Amino acid sequence: MSAQTVATLGSVQHFLARNHGLYIDGGWQDSTNDARLKVFNPADGLQIATSADASEQDVDKAVTSAWRAFTSGVWANMLPAGREKILLRFADLLEENAEEMAQLETLEQGKSINISRAFEVGCALNWMRYTAGLTTKISGRTLDVSIPMPEGARYQAWTRKEPVGVVAGIVPWNFPLLIGMWKVMPALAAGCSIVVKPSETTPLTLLRMAELASEAGVPDGVFNVVTGTGAGCGRALTEHPLIAKVSFTGSTATGKGIARAAADRLTRVTLELGGKNPAIVLKDADPAMVIEGLMAGSFLNQGQVCAASSRIYIESPLFDSLVGDFELAVKSLSVGAGMDTATHINPLVSKGHQQKVADYLIDAQQHNAELITGNAGPKNGGYYVPPTLVVNPSAELRLNQEEVFGPVVNLVRVSDAEEALRLANDTEYGLTASLWTSNLQAAMSYTSRIQAGTVWVNSHTLIDANMPFGGMKQSGTGRDFGPDWLDAYTETKSICVRY
């Protein structure tokens, strides 16, 4: 162990050693399925824990528990200030257990402990407290109406927001704790109950959060966690007849399947899906700002970020010098285990995903693409892929259109901003994009023409709880975050009184 490697806490070791069950109705319950799912440390490929593989019967038990809690009114009918107080206590408990949660996240997901501390825990706290505050801000409107009959009658109308019911939250493996709280907190703030399914690859932090929720005072059955495969547990959850809303973050293909199933029952859905996110660098951009911003925007969490910049279009006068700067930056990145605080690039989440990303690079090599590759990382069985730049990739390359979701970035020369804009929009995705320029007129003009749900100028990937986030085209439907976040977890009821 190097001097920069973080020592694993005793509480983390104890949690890993537990025989994790399902968290249903305020406590641990065994699955009816004897099968167990293995959890691996991406840094060395060794097993560190197991989790339950929930059956359809287990899922039904969790959803029924959530439905019973919802219809009882124990949470939905609690005074908003009471719910807010409990949710703020929930955030406080995460803060009190911050290092334990960060280490669990790094050990199961592979990301840097620095990122786990700052993003998974630090940002989760910001979002949790922001959302807790929305609990007491739910409001409707009073409406003037012009109902003409019977003659002389008067009417008063208004709307109110009511919780939608039981929510299914499907959480991906790239930011399990943070994105998990993006599902849990708005559902609870709105007065709903929720059943969360984390990825089978990264189930640990949400299981621990379920315990903290109960400790904070969330009533039994309001927050449940089931673990298992997407094909089994995930399908049973999203297709359950008592689920009123599905909030899903993940691949476009899986999101489409969920939308099709939801359509049969008119279940509400919020889908935050894939992205092939462009960055347009104009010739007047500040090179130092571009390198700093797009290295972070491209390689954060090894590029396993739905919003990551993966296609960088650079105007010709700046192209050669910027490619040289990117090469120096990529080759300076150290590669190693996430528990080593000195490393910049860490392993990918799983052996299967490592191979998937490697296949894109093999395809590029077979088509004689120009690759600039950084350090390869340890040869210890970990799931490493070196950070890689692909210079002017040809159109037939798979990585030119498909979401790689790894430390692979395309650098493309363009003649002018109009060509960059055309190429940036030439995709089925529309999640995020960025424009890099010192020209205010260009910034104001081109941001409105870029087809993406979020467009940054002179930054990329950075988000905030008060700024709505979601995709256009096949990058999803609906928006998370912002002051109207809870609208997606409530029904609008109109009330009209004649007097």
Side-chain angles (χ1 to χ4, degrees):
M1 181 182 293
S2 75
Q4 294 167 311
T5 299
V6 175
T8 306
L9 294 174
S11 59
V12 172
Q13 296 174 359
H14 175 73
F15 190 80
L16 293 175
R18 289 165 57 177
N19 189 41
H20 301 289
L22 309 170
Y23 204 84
I24 299 173
D25 208 24
W28 294 107
Q29 299 193 20
D30 293 332
S31 172
T32 59
N33 184 2
D34 292 333
R36 304 287 297 176
L37 298 173
K38 296 178 180 179
V39 180
F40 297 95
N41 181 351
D44 54 21
L46 299 178
Q47 180 180 326
I48 56 173
T50 66
S51 63
D53 186 7
S55 67
E56 186 173 344
Q57 180 181 345
D58 296 327
V59 172
D60 179 68
K61 189 175 184 179
V63 175
T64 301
S65 171
W67 173 251
R68 187 167 53 244
F70 177 72
T71 54
S72 75
V74 65
W75 182 250
N77 294 339
M78 185 182 293
L79 291 177
R83 291 203 308 271
E84 179 186 44
K85 182 178 180 180
I86 290 172
L87 294 179
L88 288 172
R89 175 59 178 152
F90 188 21
D92 291 344
L93 287 172
L94 172 58
E95 189 167 35
E96 291 171 16
N97 294 274
E99 181 63 16
E100 176 188 342
M101 299 301 294
Q103 290 191 16
L104 281 173
E105 197 61 59
T106 289
L107 290 171
E108 70 173 345
Q109 203 278 337
K111 64 168 57 75
S112 168
I113 186 66
N114 302 320
I115 299 300
S116 290
R117 289 166 176 167
F119 283 80
E120 294 282 14
V121 175
C123 288
L125 287 170
N126 291 341
W127 260 269
M128 290 176 75
R129 287 168 175 149
Y130 176 89
T131 318
L134 295 180
T135 305
T136 54
K137 313 300 186 297
I138 300 171
S139 60
R141 295 180 177 180
T142 57
L143 308 169
D144 287 334
V145 293
S146 302
I147 301 173
M149 60 184 69
E151 185 177 353
R154 301 293 299 275
Y155 294 87
Q156 179 65 56
W158 65 92
T159 62
R160 56 175 280 115
K161 298 286 189 178
E162 298 180 352
V164 71
V166 179
V167 175
I170 311 296
V171 181
W173 47 255
N174 57 333
F175 287 93
L177 174 57
L178 179 59
I179 297 180
M181 291 302 100
W182 292 351
K183 314 295 184 192
V184 171
M185 291 300 293
L188 298 191
C192 301
S193 297
I194 190 168
V195 181
V196 179
K197 192 201 90 66
S199 166
E200 60 265 38
T201 308
T202 54
L204 301 178
T205 46
L206 281 180
L207 290 172
R208 182 71 179 101
M209 288 297 286
E211 291 184 319
L212 296 183
S214 291
E215 185 178 344
V218 174
D220 295 350
V222 172
F223 178 16
N224 308 271
V225 180
V226 291
T227 58
T229 65
C233 175
R235 180 181 295 275
L237 178 57
T238 57
E239 294 182 357
H240 197 286
L242 293 179
I243 293 295
K245 175 187 170 60
V246 178
S247 176
F248 170 81
T249 300
S251 73
T252 296
T254 303
K256 287 180 178 180
I258 289 173
R260 283 190 290 268
D264 288 339
R265 294 180 289 104
L266 297 180
T267 302
R268 292 142 190 80
V269 293
T270 299
L271 304 174
E272 197 267 274
L273 308 178
K276 189 66 178 175
N277 308 300
I280 297 175
V281 182
L282 302 187
K283 59 188 177 184
D284 63 2
D286 180 341
M289 184 180 290
V290 170
I291 295 298
E292 177 193 45
L294 287 180
M295 284 297 293
S298 301
F299 293 106
L300 176 70
N301 196 25
Q302 296 61 256
Q304 299 170 127
V305 181
C306 58
S309 48
S310 58
R311 299 179 290 144
I312 302 176
Y313 298 104
I314 306 170
E315 277 198 286
S316 187
L318 204 56
F319 184 78
D320 291 332
S321 62
L322 265 186
V323 169
D325 292 342
F326 272 112
E327 180 175 4
L328 289 174
V330 163
K331 290 186 174 180
S332 72
L333 298 175
S334 60
V335 181
M339 292 292 275
D340 184 341
T341 60
T343 58
H344 304 109
I345 296 292
N346 311 111
L348 300 186
V349 70
S350 68
K351 183 67 174 177
H353 190 58
Q354 177 197 36
Q355 187 58 56
K356 177 183 176 182
V357 174
D359 286 344
Y360 282 107
L361 296 177
I362 292 170
D363 176 67
Q365 290 171 330
Q366 291 174 342
H367 286 85
N368 299 314
E370 180 184 350
L371 304 183
I372 298 173
T373 304
N375 296 314
K379 304 291 186 182
N380 64 347
Y383 311 138
Y384 296 95
V385 170
T388 303
L389 303 171
V390 187
V391 182
N392 288 318
S394 58
E396 67 266 21
L397 292 186
R398 291 173 52 216
L399 57 72
N400 213 33
Q401 290 293 328
E402 298 177 17
E403 183 180 33
V404 177
F405 219 63
V408 179
V409 179
N410 299 350
L411 302 179
V412 182
R413 183 195 301 269
V414 294
S415 59
D416 55 29
E418 288 299 321
E419 182 185 8
L421 182 66
R422 177 179 59 81
L423 293 172
N425 289 337
D426 184 21
T427 175
E428 64 182 7
Y429 297 111
L431 187 58
T432 71
S434 61
L435 179 72
W436 300 78
T437 181
S438 299
N439 185 318
L440 178 61
Q441 183 176 0
M444 298 303 292
S445 173
Y446 284 105
T447 51
S448 63
R449 298 172 63 193
I450 296 173
Q451 297 168 1
T454 299
V455 180
W456 293 278
V457 176
N458 296 330
S459 69
H460 197 111
T461 309
L462 303 177
I463 56 178
D464 185 84
N466 201 40
M467 187 171 71
F469 184 83
M472 296 180 178
K473 299 192 278 190
Q474 295 198 42
S475 286
T477 179
R479 293 294 183 269
D480 289 316
F481 318 156
D484 301 323
W485 195 2
L486 301 194
D487 286 354
Y489 294 82
T490 58
E491 295 279 16
T492 298
K493 177 182 287 184
S494 294
I495 299 171
C496 184
V497 177
R498 176 187 171 185
Y499 62 95

